[in-house]
Amino acid sequence: MNQCTAVTLLPPPEFVIRLAAAAAAGGAGRPEAGHLLCELAAHHDGDHAMALWDDDVNRTAVWARWKGERATLGELAWCGAIDPRGEDACGLFADHPSAHDWDIVDPALAAVDAVLAQGYPHLVRRRDGG
């Protein structure tokens, strides 16, 4: 299943812009908006979502969620599912609306992997264990 291709900008908060303006006299630059790329599966229900940073102590992460151009930040617990093919936990938030992350393929990364596999086949691990 392919990854959702939704992208939006997360502008810096107004207070950060004001702080940067005060520091601009010292040569500091203006903060730039960051790009958010949805981590959920294509055609998911609800808001788009991207993890911004994790809090290992509380087993949560701060997620940006958006629909349209308005994003909100919130702390969400991690999904508790474990990949049945190994020991990897799902890297999405609890009760996410789409497939678990091990079933989601970023088509851009898959294309890069395919090109690299052609040029460097000895570095590619085959799925059949070879």
Side-chain angles (χ1 to χ4, degrees):
M1 174 173 298
N2 281 343
Q3 183 174 342
C4 179
T5 58
V7 177
T8 195
L9 290 175
L10 180 64
E14 189 59 40
F15 74 91
V16 172
I17 293 172
R18 286 194 305 271
L19 287 171
R30 183 181 187 330
E32 297 291 328
H35 291 86
L36 299 177
L37 309 171
C38 185
E39 296 183 40
L40 301 174
H43 312 295
H44 62 82
D45 294 330
D47 293 344
H48 301 290
M50 177 180 172
L52 299 179
W53 63 86
D54 59 345
D55 179 353
D56 290 336
V57 173
N58 294 316
R59 296 183 179 163
T60 61
V62 173
W63 287 80
R65 299 181 78 182
W66 73 95
K67 184 169 272 189
E69 294 184 15
R70 179 156 171 79
T72 58
L73 305 182
E75 186 175 22
L76 300 171
W78 290 106
C79 176
I82 303 295
D83 185 345
R85 300 169 294 194
E87 298 179 9
D88 292 333
C90 179
L92 299 174
F93 56 90
D95 301 321
H96 55 85
S98 66
H100 294 294
D101 72 345
W102 55 79
D103 288 327
I104 299 172
V105 176
D106 179 337
L109 289 179
V112 169
D113 287 348
V115 169
L116 291 174
Q118 289 176 344
Y120 305 95
H122 61 286
L123 298 177
V124 178
R125 190 172 36 175
R126 293 184 2 207
R127 290 180 190 232
D128 63 5

mmCIF file of all heavy atoms in Angstrom, residues 54-85:
data_model
loop_
_atom_site.group_PDB
_atom_site.id
_atom_site.type_symbol
_atom_site.label_atom_id
_atom_site.label_comp_id
_atom_site.label_asym_id
_atom_site.label_seq_id
_atom_site.Cartn_x
_atom_site.Cartn_y
_atom_site.Cartn_z
ATOM 1 N N ASP A 54 9.725 12.422 19.191
ATOM 2 C CA ASP A 54 9.179 11.449 20.131
ATOM 3 C C ASP A 54 9.650 11.725 21.552
ATOM 4 O O ASP A 54 10.649 12.388 21.781
ATOM 5 C CB ASP A 54 9.499 10.013 19.719
ATOM 6 C CG ASP A 54 10.982 9.732 19.623
ATOM 7 O OD1 ASP A 54 11.769 10.678 19.590
ATOM 8 O OD2 ASP A 54 11.345 8.558 19.593
ATOM 9 N N ASP A 55 8.861 11.230 22.486
ATOM 10 C CA ASP A 55 9.138 11.346 23.916
ATOM 11 C C ASP A 55 9.233 9.924 24.450
ATOM 12 O O ASP A 55 8.232 9.313 24.810
ATOM 13 C CB ASP A 55 8.018 12.135 24.592
ATOM 14 C CG ASP A 55 8.210 12.280 26.091
ATOM 15 O OD1 ASP A 55 9.139 11.663 26.651
ATOM 16 O OD2 ASP A 55 7.416 13.008 26.714
ATOM 17 N N ASP A 56 10.458 9.395 24.472
ATOM 18 C CA ASP A 56 10.661 8.004 24.886
ATOM 19 C C ASP A 56 10.223 7.750 26.319
ATOM 20 O O ASP A 56 9.726 6.669 26.635
ATOM 21 C CB ASP A 56 12.129 7.605 24.727
ATOM 22 C CG ASP A 56 12.542 7.490 23.282
ATOM 23 O OD1 ASP A 56 11.661 7.258 22.432
ATOM 24 O OD2 ASP A 56 13.739 7.619 22.986
ATOM 25 N N VAL A 57 10.386 8.741 27.182
ATOM 26 C CA VAL A 57 10.029 8.567 28.588
ATOM 27 C C VAL A 57 8.545 8.261 28.729
ATOM 28 O O VAL A 57 8.138 7.362 29.476
ATOM 29 C CB VAL A 57 10.420 9.815 29.414
ATOM 30 C CG1 VAL A 57 9.897 9.720 30.838
ATOM 31 C CG2 VAL A 57 11.928 10.004 29.402
ATOM 32 N N ASN A 58 7.713 9.000 28.012
ATOM 33 C CA ASN A 58 6.257 8.828 28.109
ATOM 34 C C ASN A 58 5.675 7.904 27.045
ATOM 35 O O ASN A 58 4.465 7.709 26.991
ATOM 36 C CB ASN A 58 5.569 10.191 28.050
ATOM 37 C CG ASN A 58 5.901 11.040 29.244
ATOM 38 O OD1 ASN A 58 5.891 10.560 30.373
ATOM 39 N ND2 ASN A 58 6.221 12.299 29.012
ATOM 40 N N ARG A 59 6.535 7.387 26.170
ATOM 41 C CA ARG A 59 6.098 6.514 25.069
ATOM 42 C C ARG A 59 5.039 7.173 24.194
ATOM 43 O O ARG A 59 4.021 6.586 23.832
ATOM 44 C CB ARG A 59 5.597 5.179 25.609
ATOM 45 C CG ARG A 59 6.668 4.396 26.301
ATOM 46 C CD ARG A 59 6.176 3.067 26.748
ATOM 47 N NE ARG A 59 7.258 2.339 27.387
ATOM 48 C CZ ARG A 59 7.086 1.303 28.158
ATOM 49 N NH1 ARG A 59 5.884 0.841 28.381
ATOM 50 N NH2 ARG A 59 8.107 0.703 28.700
ATOM 51 N N THR A 60 5.304 8.435 23.884
ATOM 52 C CA THR A 60 4.413 9.221 23.032
ATOM 53 C C THR A 60 5.260 9.949 21.993
ATOM 54 O O THR A 60 6.480 9.865 22.005
ATOM 55 C CB THR A 60 3.635 10.271 23.851
ATOM 56 O OG1 THR A 60 4.562 11.166 24.456
ATOM 57 C CG2 THR A 60 2.750 9.628 24.906
ATOM 58 N N ALA A 61 4.586 10.671 21.125
ATOM 59 C CA ALA A 61 5.256 11.538 20.168
ATOM 60 C C ALA A 61 4.376 12.760 19.945
ATOM 61 O O ALA A 61 3.166 12.715 20.141
ATOM 62 C CB ALA A 61 5.497 10.815 18.848
ATOM 63 N N VAL A 62 5.004 13.846 19.529
ATOM 64 C CA VAL A 62 4.250 15.027 19.116
ATOM 65 C C VAL A 62 3.995 14.875 17.625
ATOM 66 O O VAL A 62 4.930 14.697 16.838
ATOM 67 C CB VAL A 62 5.011 16.327 19.430
ATOM 68 C CG1 VAL A 62 4.274 17.533 18.843
ATOM 69 C CG2 VAL A 62 5.192 16.475 20.932
ATOM 70 N N TRP A 63 2.729 14.908 17.271
ATOM 71 C CA TRP A 63 2.303 14.731 15.888
ATOM 72 C C TRP A 63 1.687 16.020 15.374
ATOM 73 O O TRP A 63 0.957 16.695 16.092
ATOM 74 C CB TRP A 63 1.256 13.616 15.796
ATOM 75 C CG TRP A 63 1.827 12.258 15.984
ATOM 76 C CD1 TRP A 63 2.144 11.659 17.163
ATOM 77 C CD2 TRP A 63 2.170 11.330 14.958
ATOM 78 N NE1 TRP A 63 2.658 10.413 16.932
ATOM 79 C CE2 TRP A 63 2.686 10.190 15.591
ATOM 80 C CE3 TRP A 63 2.098 11.362 13.570
ATOM 81 C CZ2 TRP A 63 3.124 9.077 14.872
ATOM 82 C CZ3 TRP A 63 2.522 10.258 12.859
ATOM 83 C CH2 TRP A 63 3.033 9.129 13.507
ATOM 84 N N ALA A 64 1.976 16.344 14.141
ATOM 85 C CA ALA A 64 1.266 17.406 13.428
ATOM 86 C C ALA A 64 0.152 16.714 12.652
ATOM 87 O O ALA A 64 0.388 15.711 11.978
ATOM 88 C CB ALA A 64 2.191 18.145 12.477
ATOM 89 N N ARG A 65 -1.046 17.232 12.793
ATOM 90 C CA ARG A 65 -2.196 16.681 12.050
ATOM 91 C C ARG A 65 -2.840 17.834 11.305
ATOM 92 O O ARG A 65 -2.946 18.945 11.820
ATOM 93 C CB ARG A 65 -3.172 16.012 13.005
ATOM 94 C CG ARG A 65 -2.480 14.843 13.736
ATOM 95 C CD ARG A 65 -3.394 14.136 14.657
ATOM 96 N NE ARG A 65 -4.250 13.271 13.855
ATOM 97 C CZ ARG A 65 -5.213 12.523 14.374
ATOM 98 N NH1 ARG A 65 -5.439 12.528 15.658
ATOM 99 N NH2 ARG A 65 -5.945 11.757 13.599
ATOM 100 N N TRP A 66 -3.245 17.578 10.071
ATOM 101 C CA TRP A 66 -3.814 18.655 9.269
ATOM 102 C C TRP A 66 -4.814 18.141 8.267
ATOM 103 O O TRP A 66 -4.815 16.988 7.863
ATOM 104 C CB TRP A 66 -2.713 19.442 8.567
ATOM 105 C CG TRP A 66 -2.058 18.748 7.410
ATOM 106 C CD1 TRP A 66 -2.382 18.867 6.092
ATOM 107 C CD2 TRP A 66 -0.974 17.823 7.462
ATOM 108 N NE1 TRP A 66 -1.571 18.088 5.319
ATOM 109 C CE2 TRP A 66 -0.687 17.436 6.149
ATOM 110 C CE3 TRP A 66 -0.214 17.269 8.494
ATOM 111 C CZ2 TRP A 66 0.310 16.523 5.830
ATOM 112 C CZ3 TRP A 66 0.789 16.370 8.179
ATOM 113 C CH2 TRP A 66 1.049 16.005 6.864
ATOM 114 N N LYS A 67 -5.677 19.053 7.899
ATOM 115 C CA LYS A 67 -6.612 18.885 6.794
ATOM 116 C C LYS A 67 -6.682 20.258 6.153
ATOM 117 O O LYS A 67 -6.929 21.235 6.842
ATOM 118 C CB LYS A 67 -7.978 18.440 7.304
ATOM 119 C CG LYS A 67 -8.961 18.151 6.177
ATOM 120 C CD LYS A 67 -10.197 17.480 6.690
ATOM 121 C CE LYS A 67 -9.902 16.002 6.669
ATOM 122 N NZ LYS A 67 -10.987 15.131 6.930
ATOM 123 N N GLY A 68 -6.394 20.352 4.884
ATOM 124 C CA GLY A 68 -6.301 21.662 4.251
ATOM 125 C C GLY A 68 -5.004 22.336 4.665
ATOM 126 O O GLY A 68 -3.958 21.706 4.708
ATOM 127 N N GLU A 69 -5.082 23.605 5.038
ATOM 128 C CA GLU A 69 -3.873 24.358 5.363
ATOM 129 C C GLU A 69 -3.675 24.587 6.853
ATOM 130 O O GLU A 69 -2.692 25.191 7.254
ATOM 131 C CB GLU A 69 -3.897 25.698 4.634
ATOM 132 C CG GLU A 69 -3.814 25.535 3.131
ATOM 133 C CD GLU A 69 -3.745 26.861 2.411
ATOM 134 O OE1 GLU A 69 -3.480 27.896 3.048
ATOM 135 O OE2 GLU A 69 -3.971 26.862 1.192
ATOM 136 N N ARG A 70 -4.573 24.127 7.696
ATOM 137 C CA ARG A 70 -4.450 24.357 9.137
ATOM 138 C C ARG A 70 -3.949 23.099 9.823
ATOM 139 O O ARG A 70 -4.575 22.053 9.763
ATOM 140 C CB ARG A 70 -5.790 24.768 9.718
ATOM 141 C CG ARG A 70 -5.728 24.987 11.207
ATOM 142 C CD ARG A 70 -6.811 25.924 11.682
ATOM 143 N NE ARG A 70 -6.886 25.970 13.113
ATOM 144 C CZ ARG A 70 -6.063 26.657 13.887
ATOM 145 N NH1 ARG A 70 -5.089 27.335 13.342
ATOM 146 N NH2 ARG A 70 -6.219 26.674 15.192
ATOM 147 N N ALA A 71 -2.802 23.234 10.507
ATOM 148 C CA ALA A 71 -2.213 22.106 11.226
ATOM 149 C C ALA A 71 -2.336 22.331 12.728
ATOM 150 O O ALA A 71 -2.292 23.466 13.208
ATOM 151 C CB ALA A 71 -0.743 21.943 10.851
ATOM 152 N N THR A 72 -2.506 21.246 13.463
ATOM 153 C CA THR A 72 -2.493 21.288 14.918
ATOM 154 C C THR A 72 -1.448 20.306 15.411
ATOM 155 O O THR A 72 -1.152 19.310 14.747
ATOM 156 C CB THR A 72 -3.865 20.921 15.520
ATOM 157 O OG1 THR A 72 -4.229 19.614 15.076
ATOM 158 C CG2 THR A 72 -4.934 21.918 15.109
ATOM 159 N N LEU A 73 -0.867 20.605 16.557
ATOM 160 C CA LEU A 73 0.119 19.730 17.166
ATOM 161 C C LEU A 73 -0.500 19.083 18.388
ATOM 162 O O LEU A 73 -1.251 19.717 19.122
ATOM 163 C CB LEU A 73 1.368 20.510 17.581
ATOM 164 C CG LEU A 73 2.066 21.327 16.509
ATOM 165 C CD1 LEU A 73 3.308 21.985 17.081
ATOM 166 C CD2 LEU A 73 2.417 20.470 15.312
ATOM 167 N N GLY A 74 -0.181 17.811 18.596
ATOM 168 C CA GLY A 74 -0.691 17.117 19.765
ATOM 169 C C GLY A 74 0.181 15.931 20.117
ATOM 170 O O GLY A 74 0.845 15.351 19.248
ATOM 171 N N GLU A 75 0.183 15.602 21.399
ATOM 172 C CA GLU A 75 0.939 14.450 21.876
ATOM 173 C C GLU A 75 0.044 13.220 21.806
ATOM 174 O O GLU A 75 -1.056 13.216 22.351
ATOM 175 C CB GLU A 75 1.398 14.696 23.315
ATOM 176 C CG GLU A 75 2.304 13.615 23.841
ATOM 177 C CD GLU A 75 2.845 13.943 25.222
ATOM 178 O OE1 GLU A 75 2.231 14.764 25.933
ATOM 179 O OE2 GLU A 75 3.880 13.376 25.576
ATOM 180 N N LEU A 76 0.516 12.193 21.104
ATOM 181 C CA LEU A 76 -0.256 10.967 20.925
ATOM 182 C C LEU A 76 0.592 9.758 21.301
ATOM 183 O O LEU A 76 1.803 9.738 21.056
ATOM 184 C CB LEU A 76 -0.705 10.821 19.461
ATOM 185 C CG LEU A 76 -1.595 11.939 18.906
ATOM 186 C CD1 LEU A 76 -1.769 11.773 17.411
ATOM 187 C CD2 LEU A 76 -2.930 11.950 19.620
ATOM 188 N N ALA A 77 -0.046 8.764 21.867
ATOM 189 C CA ALA A 77 0.642 7.511 22.193
ATOM 190 C C ALA A 77 0.968 6.760 20.906
ATOM 191 O O ALA A 77 0.297 6.913 19.885
ATOM 192 C CB ALA A 77 -0.242 6.651 23.089
ATOM 193 N N TRP A 78 2.004 5.943 20.968
ATOM 194 C CA TRP A 78 2.382 5.120 19.824
ATOM 195 C C TRP A 78 1.388 3.977 19.647
ATOM 196 O O TRP A 78 0.798 3.494 20.610
ATOM 197 C CB TRP A 78 3.775 4.522 20.015
ATOM 198 C CG TRP A 78 4.864 5.536 19.946
ATOM 199 C CD1 TRP A 78 5.589 6.021 20.988
ATOM 200 C CD2 TRP A 78 5.349 6.197 18.779
ATOM 201 N NE1 TRP A 78 6.502 6.947 20.537
ATOM 202 C CE2 TRP A 78 6.374 7.074 19.180
ATOM 203 C CE3 TRP A 78 5.024 6.136 17.427
ATOM 204 C CZ2 TRP A 78 7.074 7.875 18.298
ATOM 205 C CZ3 TRP A 78 5.720 6.943 16.550
ATOM 206 C CH2 TRP A 78 6.730 7.790 16.977
ATOM 207 N N CYS A 79 1.240 3.518 18.432
ATOM 208 C CA CYS A 79 0.459 2.315 18.140
ATOM 209 C C CYS A 79 1.171 1.139 18.815
ATOM 210 O O CYS A 79 2.389 1.036 18.773
ATOM 211 C CB CYS A 79 0.389 2.099 16.629
ATOM 212 S SG CYS A 79 -0.440 0.580 16.132
ATOM 213 N N GLY A 80 0.425 0.255 19.425
ATOM 214 C CA GLY A 80 1.026 -0.866 20.137
ATOM 215 C C GLY A 80 1.223 -2.116 19.299
ATOM 216 O O GLY A 80 1.718 -3.126 19.805
ATOM 217 N N ALA A 81 0.874 -2.078 18.020
ATOM 218 C CA ALA A 81 0.970 -3.271 17.179
ATOM 219 C C ALA A 81 2.423 -3.620 16.871
ATOM 220 O O ALA A 81 3.252 -2.736 16.680
ATOM 221 C CB ALA A 81 0.198 -3.068 15.881
ATOM 222 N N ILE A 82 2.711 -4.919 16.818
ATOM 223 C CA ILE A 82 4.040 -5.427 16.477
ATOM 224 C C ILE A 82 3.938 -6.150 15.136
ATOM 225 O O ILE A 82 3.024 -6.949 14.920
ATOM 226 C CB ILE A 82 4.564 -6.404 17.555
ATOM 227 C CG1 ILE A 82 4.584 -5.730 18.928
ATOM 228 C CG2 ILE A 82 5.932 -6.950 17.184
ATOM 229 C CD1 ILE A 82 5.533 -4.580 19.069
ATOM 230 N N ASP A 83 4.889 -5.885 14.250
ATOM 231 C CA ASP A 83 4.932 -6.537 12.944
ATOM 232 C C ASP A 83 5.019 -8.043 13.151
ATOM 233 O O ASP A 83 5.935 -8.530 13.815
ATOM 234 C CB ASP A 83 6.146 -6.031 12.167
ATOM 235 C CG ASP A 83 6.216 -6.544 10.741
ATOM 236 O OD1 ASP A 83 5.507 -7.511 10.392
ATOM 237 O OD2 ASP A 83 6.999 -5.973 9.964
ATOM 238 N N PRO A 84 4.081 -8.813 12.608
ATOM 239 C CA PRO A 84 4.102 -10.268 12.807
ATOM 240 C C PRO A 84 5.314 -10.952 12.177
ATOM 241 O O PRO A 84 5.636 -12.077 12.522
ATOM 242 C CB PRO A 84 2.800 -10.749 12.161
ATOM 243 C CG PRO A 84 2.330 -9.632 11.302
ATOM 244 C CD PRO A 84 2.939 -8.372 11.824
ATOM 245 N N ARG A 85 6.030 -10.250 11.292
ATOM 246 C CA ARG A 85 7.214 -10.834 10.648
ATOM 247 C C ARG A 85 8.484 -10.597 11.448
ATOM 248 O O ARG A 85 9.556 -11.022 11.042
ATOM 249 C CB ARG A 85 7.385 -10.237 9.256
ATOM 250 C CG ARG A 85 6.202 -10.486 8.343
ATOM 251 C CD ARG A 85 6.303 -9.660 7.108
ATOM 252 N NE ARG A 85 6.170 -8.240 7.494
ATOM 253 C CZ ARG A 85 5.949 -7.252 6.671
ATOM 254 N NH1 ARG A 85 5.854 -7.483 5.387
ATOM 255 N NH2 ARG A 85 5.830 -6.020 7.089
#
